[in-house]
C-alpha cells in the first residue's frame, strides 16, 4: 500500500524564490526538499548516518540511493498571488533623515531593492502572503520504518514553525506556517507526539508546545555515545545545547507582516549601528591610521560583512579566509548567519521570533576571516567580545 503524508502550508511573508522563468517566483519540490535536509541536519546529531538514506544520497556502502519519498506541491485554491518590492511602499517605515535614515524592512530585504536603479533587468517578484498550498509526500517504500517517519515529520515541523524558504529566509522573508497534516494509508503514531502550534492561545502556550516538541526531538534523535561520536566539531547550524529562541508577546495582524519585519529589522539595525569597537577600528583602518589585525565582532552575524563610511568615501568588506586558494579574491565569500528571524502564526496573529542556532561562527576558532582582496588572516574574535552572544 502506498503511504502519503499530506501537509497544508501558508505563506506568512513574501517568498522570493526563483523558477524556470527569470524574475518570476516558483515553489518547486527540489527547493522544499533542500529546506527539509537543512532542518534534518539541525535536529539529528547523527544526521550523517540517516540523511542519504532518508533524503537521497550516493554512498553505496550505506545503501543510499533515491529518496524513498517524492514531493508534489499543489495550490489549495488558486494560483499564488505575486508581488514585488516596489509594491511594499517601504519608505513609510523610515525613521530619521538623510544619512541617519533607518528602515528595518529595507535592512532585512536589501537585495530586493537593487532592481530599479542598479540592475535594470533584476526586478524579482515574490509569492505573496496568505497563499495556501498542499504538499503531498508520497512514500513508495520505507514508511514502516519509524526512523524515516521521525526524520520526515521533524523536518517538516521545524520548517513550518522555525524556518522559511527562498532568498533572505533567515531574515524573515519566506516564512511558512504548517497548518495541518494527515496521512493516507497507514497511520503514523509519531504525529500525536509532535503538536502543531499555530492554534495555540498565546505565547505561553506556544512555548509550552515548543518544549514538548523539543523533548520529542531529543527522544527521537539522542546524542551518540562518546565513543561513537565524531571528534570533529559540529560546524553546521543545529539545535544544540546552547541554542537560543525568543518569541515576542507583541503581535501584528497578518496583513501587517511588513510592519512586523520592519520592527525586527530596526532592532537588529540599531544593535549593529556604530557598535564599538568595530566602528572606530574599521574607520581607522580605512584611513590608514591603524590597520586591522583582529576580526570585527560583527562578523559573528555572518559574511560577507561591509562597513561603509560616508565621511571617508570608501568601504571595507570582510569575507571568509581560505588559505587553500592562491587568489584570495576567488575564495568562498559567504558564511551564513546562525541568527534566524521569522514570523510565527499564533491564534490568527503574527509574532516575531528570533532563533540563534549552534554552529561555527565567523571569526571564531577555525572559521577565519580576511579583508576582501587581501590574502591575510585576521586574529579571531576575542573571548570577551560579542562572540556568539547574538541575542
Amino acid at each position: 500500500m502506498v503511504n502519503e503524508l499530506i501537509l497544508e502550508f501558508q505563506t506568512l511573508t513574501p517568498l522570493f524564490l526563483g523558477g524556470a522563468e527569470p524574475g518570476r517566483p516558483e515553489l518547486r519540490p527540489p527547493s522544499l526538499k533542500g529546506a527539509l535536509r537543512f532542518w534534518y541536519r539541525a535536529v539529528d546529531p547523527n544526521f550523517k548516518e540517516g540523511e542519504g538514506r532518508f533524503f537521497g544520497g550516493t554512498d553505496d556502502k550505506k545503501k543510499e540511493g533515491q529518496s524513498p519519498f517524492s514531493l508534489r506541491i499543489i495550490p489549495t485554491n488558486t494560483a499564488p498571488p505575486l508581488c514585488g518590492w516596489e509594491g511594499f511602499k517601504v519608505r513609510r517605515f523610515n525613521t530619521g533623515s538623510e544619512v541617519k535614515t533607518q528602515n528595518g524592512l529595507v535592512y532585512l530585504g536589501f537585495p530586493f531593492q537593487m532592481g530599479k536603479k542598479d540592475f535594470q533587468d533584476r526586478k524579482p517578484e515574490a509569492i505573496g502572503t496568505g497563499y495556501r498550498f498542499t504538499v503531498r509526500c508520497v512514500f513508495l517504500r520505507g514508511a514502516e520504518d519509524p526512523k524515516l517517519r521521525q526524520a520526515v515529520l521533524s523536518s517538516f515541523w521545524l520548517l513550518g514553525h522555525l524556518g522559511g524558504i527562498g532568498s533572505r529566509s533567515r531574515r524573515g522573508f519566506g516564512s511558512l506556517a504548517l497548518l495541518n497534516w494527515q496521512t493516507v494509508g497507514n497511520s503514523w503514531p509519531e504525529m500525536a507526539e509532535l503538536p502543531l502550534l499555530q492554534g495555540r492561545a498565546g505565547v505561553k502556550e506556544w512555548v509550552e508546545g515548543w518544549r514538548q516538541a523539543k523533548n520529542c526531538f531529543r527522544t527521537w534523535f539522542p546524542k551518540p555515545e562518546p565513543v561513537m561520536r565524531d571528534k570533529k566539531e559540529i560546524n553546521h547550524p543545529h539545535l544544540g545545547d546552547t541554542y537560543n529562541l525568543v518569541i515576542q508577546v507583541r503581535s501584528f495582524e497578518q496583513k501587517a507582516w511588513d510592519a512586523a519585519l520592519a520592527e525586527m529589522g530596526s532592532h537588529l539595525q540599531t544593535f549593529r549601528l556604530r557598535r564599538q569597537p568595530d566602528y572606530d577600528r574599521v574607520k581607522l583602518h580605512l584611513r590608514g591610521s591603524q590597520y586591522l589585525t583582529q576580526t570585527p565582532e560583527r562578523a559573528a552575524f555572518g559574511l560577507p560583512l561591509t562597513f561603509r563610511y560616508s565621511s571617508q568615501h570608501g568601504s571595507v568588506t570582510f569575507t571568509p579566509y581560505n588559505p587553500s586558494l592562491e587568489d584570495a579574491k576567488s575564495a568562498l565569500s559567504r558564511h551564513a548567519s546562525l541568527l534566524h528571524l521569522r514570523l510565527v502564526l499564533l491564534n490568527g496573529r503574527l509574532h516575531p521570533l528570533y532563533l540563534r542556532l549552534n554552529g561555527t561562527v565567523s571569526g571564531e576558532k577555525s572559521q577565519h576571516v580576511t579583508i576582501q582582496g587581501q590574502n591575510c588572516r585576521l586574529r579571531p574574535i576575542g573571548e570577551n567580545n560579542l562572540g556568539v552572544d547574538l541575542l
Side-chain angles (χ1 to χ4, degrees):
M1 177 184 292
V2 175
N3 274 265
E4 270 190 84
L5 175 64
I6 302 177
L7 310 99
E8 296 180 30
F9 285 92
Q10 177 183 325
T11 58
L12 303 181
T13 57
L15 195 166
F16 288 87
L17 188 65
E21 184 178 343
R24 196 166 185 83
E26 182 182 0
L27 181 56
R28 302 171 61 243
S31 300
L32 183 62
K33 184 167 284 190
L36 296 178
R37 280 182 183 266
F38 174 89
W39 287 109
Y40 174 66
R41 293 176 183 178
V43 74
D44 187 356
N46 201 30
F47 74 94
K48 291 183 179 179
E49 296 300 319
E51 180 182 351
R53 185 159 55 94
F54 300 150
F55 295 92
T58 58
D59 192 331
D60 293 334
K61 294 181 180 180
K62 295 182 180 179
K63 298 182 180 180
E64 296 176 352
Q66 186 178 12
S67 173
F69 64 89
S70 62
L71 300 176
R72 286 188 61 200
I73 300 175
I74 305 170
T76 301
N77 293 319
T78 59
L82 302 182
C83 58
W85 183 261
E86 294 182 356
F88 297 159
K89 300 179 181 180
V90 298
R91 290 185 179 181
R92 56 201 167 102
F93 299 114
N94 283 358
T95 60
S97 59
E98 299 181 351
V99 296
K100 294 184 178 181
T101 300
Q102 290 183 235
N103 187 312
L105 187 59
V106 169
Y107 187 71
L108 295 182
F110 77 90
F112 309 138
Q113 313 157 43
M114 298 189 295
K116 186 174 182 180
K117 181 179 179 181
D118 302 318
F119 299 92
Q120 292 295 333
D121 296 331
R122 182 179 177 181
K123 296 183 179 181
E125 288 185 304
I127 295 176
T129 61
Y131 169 56
R132 294 194 177 191
F133 60 93
T134 298
V135 176
R136 303 186 75 92
C137 188
V138 181
F139 291 80
L140 300 180
R141 66 182 189 281
E144 69 282 354
D145 182 358
K147 293 298 183 183
L148 172 60
R149 298 198 298 262
Q150 292 166 359
V152 172
L153 287 176
S154 60
S155 300
F156 271 118
W157 193 98
L158 289 167
L159 174 62
H161 289 82
L162 301 184
I165 292 182
S167 181
R168 304 298 286 175
S169 60
R170 299 185 188 219
R171 291 296 178 262
F173 290 89
S175 295
L176 302 176
L178 176 56
L179 303 179
N180 192 22
W181 58 12
Q182 60 181 320
T183 58
V184 176
N186 296 333
S187 61
W188 290 19
E190 295 83 2
M191 296 177 70
E193 303 177 48
L194 201 53
L196 301 183
L197 307 183
Q198 317 297 354
R200 294 295 171 109
V203 169
K204 181 179 179 181
E205 290 76 14
W206 191 95
V207 172
E208 291 175 352
W210 162 244
R211 288 173 180 166
Q212 180 181 343
K214 181 176 62 175
N215 291 335
C216 180
F217 296 145
R218 288 177 175 174
T219 301
W220 290 357
F221 309 107
K223 292 182 179 180
E225 295 296 329
V227 293
M228 298 174 58
R229 296 186 68 179
D230 190 342
K231 294 182 180 180
K232 294 182 180 180
E233 180 185 4
I234 300 177
N235 295 325
H236 69 278
H238 62 283
L239 289 163
D241 295 331
T242 59
Y243 80 93
N244 203 340
L245 183 150
V246 175
I247 180 171
Q248 291 187 354
V249 175
R250 172 172 162 76
S251 65
F252 299 79
E253 295 182 359
Q254 292 189 47
K255 63 181 180 181
W257 64 268
D258 46 4
L261 288 189
E263 183 174 289
M264 297 178 76
S266 179
H267 289 162
L268 185 59
Q269 187 176 21
T270 300
F271 177 78
R272 297 176 64 169
L273 187 66
R274 294 178 179 264
R275 183 176 179 83
Q276 300 294 356
D278 289 356
Y279 181 83
D280 286 341
R281 286 179 178 175
V282 179
K283 192 172 186 179
L284 290 173
H285 174 90
L286 191 59
R287 285 177 175 175
S289 304
Q290 182 177 340
Y291 290 107
L292 277 171
T293 60
Q294 186 175 36
T295 300
E297 295 177 353
R298 276 178 49 185
F301 284 94
L303 298 175
L305 170 66
T306 300
F307 287 78
R308 295 182 177 87
Y309 299 84
S310 58
S311 61
Q312 302 302 309
H313 303 289
S315 64
V316 179
T317 299
F318 299 89
T319 61
Y321 173 74
N322 190 338
S324 64
L325 298 178
E326 295 181 0
D327 184 3
K329 293 182 180 179
S330 65
L332 181 67
S333 61
R334 177 172 171 78
H335 188 277
S337 172
L338 296 175
L339 181 64
H340 291 235
L341 280 60
R342 67 155 288 162
L343 299 180
V344 170
L345 180 62
L346 182 55
N347 198 23
R349 295 183 64 84
L350 300 177
H351 291 255
L353 183 144
Y354 302 81
L355 169 68
R356 186 209 172 275
L357 295 171
N358 291 143
T360 300
V361 176
S362 301
E364 289 192 342
K365 300 180 181 178
S366 61
Q367 184 59 51
H368 299 292
V369 174
T370 186
I371 299 173
Q372 189 176 59
Q374 300 181 18
N375 193 14
C376 63
R377 184 176 68 182
L378 300 177
R379 289 189 292 112
I381 298 173
E383 293 182 358
N384 296 325
N385 293 339
L386 171 67
V388 299
D389 185 15
L390 304 183
L391 294 181

